[in-house]
Amino acid sequence: MEDVIIIGGSFAGLAAALQLGRARRKVTVLDTGQRRNRFAGRSHGVLGHDHKPPSDIWAEARQQLARYPTITLLNARADSITGAIDNFSVLTGDGESLGARRLILSYGVVDQMPDVPGFAENWGASVIPCPYCDGFEVAGQHWGLVWSGPQSMNQVKLFDDWTDRLTVFADGHDIPPDVRADLARRNTPVVDGRITGIARHGDHGATVKLDTGADAVVDILFAHPRTKPSASLHDSLSLATVDTSTGIALKTDERRETSMPGVYAAGDLANPGIPSVTTAVWQGAMAGIFAQQSMLV
Ligand SMILES: Cc1cc2nc3c(=O)[nH]c(=O)nc-3n(C[C@H](O)[C@H](O)[C@H](O)COP(=O)(O)OP(=O)(O)OC[C@H]3O[C@@H](n4cnc5c(N)ncnc54)[C@H](O)[C@@H]3O)c2cc1C
């Protein structure tokens, strides 16, 4: 029996494993290698790792974990979870059954791309979600924002620190007159119509095709598709969730424990705030430490 099984071995899961391995606890990490930022050429804003390919950060972390004899990294999917505190079972996609006293869920979320030709193909290059991640590199250029609801106004205000050339694409949303007046006051034009296609030009430029027949060209396009958890294992345990502006997140307390004793959660899966590698690492480290402390006698 393991002390802890970690499901999802990316930034949050590996950070949890590091703390547990250093405390000499037996831990197995299951991972399917589909990190959320795998579409991005470079990762930004992570202290000590700025401007590195995300796969390099992940590979270096895995290499460092090899020092710890009680950590096992498995390239395997967790298919189901049963049991309760001190006696959980995890069934892997390979049909192996593993037991553990504690679980850490860090299997992240999936961005649900709209069915628009060119959207998924250009995700991470000319269609991106986050100015903190990639805004500096395109500061001062002509940005586009795909409107996704009232929360998009926060993005408009946020983008002010990076550019004064922003175009909003309504994409079929009914933007109210007072919001349009606010956008006009900010010199932010609104392009009406639904987006029917996105074509990339250059490194990150985007031509946005519209059902009105018009095309609009921007240097980079920001969009915030809804997310969903990468697996539904939390549903089988009936874990409590909270609503976020783009999806749901697992509810945890300040020790990163979910609504079920012995089950901890970290990273984008359990982050109703601003998702990032740094936040995932911090939450993962805390989940590892608190899971370990919960086993002290
Ligand atoms: C295009 C893009 C660019 C980004 N750029 C940046 C950036 O520059 N800087 C930054 O800080 N953040 C960036 N982010 C955000 C960052 O990617 C996430 O915040 C971070 O990856 C969250 O880490 P995580 O460990 O919670 O989840 P993830 O990195 O998404 O990892 C989850 C892991 O769980 C695995 N998994 C899923 N289901 C199972 C299962 N059933 N069994 C086993 N394993 C499973 C997956 O394969 C995956 O490896 C970016 C995001 C996107 C979409």
Side-chain angles (χ1 to χ4, degrees):
M1 159 113 34
E2 301 297 283
D3 288 315
V4 182
I5 292 175
I6 299 172
I7 303 177
S10 176
F11 306 104
L14 294 182
L18 178 58
Q19 300 299 333
L20 287 157
R22 290 188 58 76
R24 305 189 306 159
R25 288 286 180 170
K26 270 192 83 190
V27 48
T28 288
V29 183
L30 304 176
D31 186 54
T32 49
Q34 300 289 298
R35 297 177 306 283
R36 189 177 180 191
N37 60 356
R38 65 191 181 281
F39 306 96
R42 298 199 178 257
S43 170
H44 295 106
V46 183
L47 191 66
H49 294 289
D50 194 44
H51 204 57
K52 276 190 192 171
S55 54
D56 285 8
I57 302 174
W58 178 75
E60 199 178 326
R62 276 174 66 101
Q63 212 170 25
Q64 290 175 356
L65 292 186
R67 284 183 71 213
Y68 301 97
T70 58
I71 300 178
T72 304
L73 303 181
L74 290 184
N75 298 324
R77 190 180 66 240
D79 268 356
S80 70
I81 304 171
T82 49
I85 188 163
D86 285 327
N87 191 18
F88 290 106
S89 291
V90 176
L91 188 65
T92 74
D94 308 325
E96 196 179 352
S97 179
L98 303 169
R101 297 180 60 197
R102 303 286 184 272
L103 295 177
I104 296 177
L105 307 184
S106 48
Y107 46 79
V109 299
V110 176
D111 294 289
Q112 295 180 281
M113 313 282 170
D115 192 14
V116 168
F119 191 106
E121 294 82 346
N122 293 306
W123 183 241
S126 51
V127 188
I128 60 173
C130 155
Y132 295 101
C133 303
D134 297 297
F136 182 84
E137 284 67 27
V138 287
Q141 299 187 26
H142 183 185
W143 291 17
L145 171 66
V146 182
W147 197 262
S148 51
Q151 70 277 8
S152 294
M153 198 62 205
N154 298 333
Q155 300 291 321
V156 171
K157 293 178 188 167
L158 187 65
F159 289 0
D160 246 5
D161 270 0
W162 283 273
T163 191
D164 54 9
R165 289 195 290 154
L166 175 65
T167 295
V168 161
F169 292 91
D171 197 24
H173 286 270
D174 192 11
I175 303 177
D178 59 318
V179 177
R180 283 182 185 263
D182 195 2
L183 290 168
R185 193 179 52 75
R186 293 169 175 275
N187 293 322
T188 300
V190 178
V191 174
D192 285 307
R194 262 190 194 283
I195 297 175
T196 55
I198 296 166
R200 179 171 165 187
H201 54 86
D203 280 350
H204 49 70
T207 300
V208 182
K209 297 170 201 279
L210 298 151
D211 65 357
T212 55
D215 282 358
V217 175
V218 290
D219 293 319
I220 191 85
L221 186 64
F222 284 79
H224 304 96
R226 286 189 70 73
T227 63
K228 67 168 188 191
S230 297
S232 54
L233 300 168
H234 55 279
D235 284 337
S236 64
L237 298 178
S238 304
L239 300 186
T241 57
V242 287
D243 287 329
T244 77
S245 61
T246 57
I248 63 156
L250 297 197
K251 193 172 179 181
T252 65
D253 64 15
E254 65 285 354
R255 296 169 71 87
R256 307 238 48 94
E257 196 166 24
T258 66
S259 54
M260 182 171 192
V263 182
Y264 296 75
D268 287 5
L269 176 65
N271 180 3
I274 299 171
S276 75
V277 171
T278 302
T279 316
V281 167
W282 159 61
Q283 292 185 350
M286 290 303 110
I289 286 170
F290 290 126
Q292 176 250 339
Q293 290 187 1
S294 76
M295 292 182 282
L296 301 177
V297 288

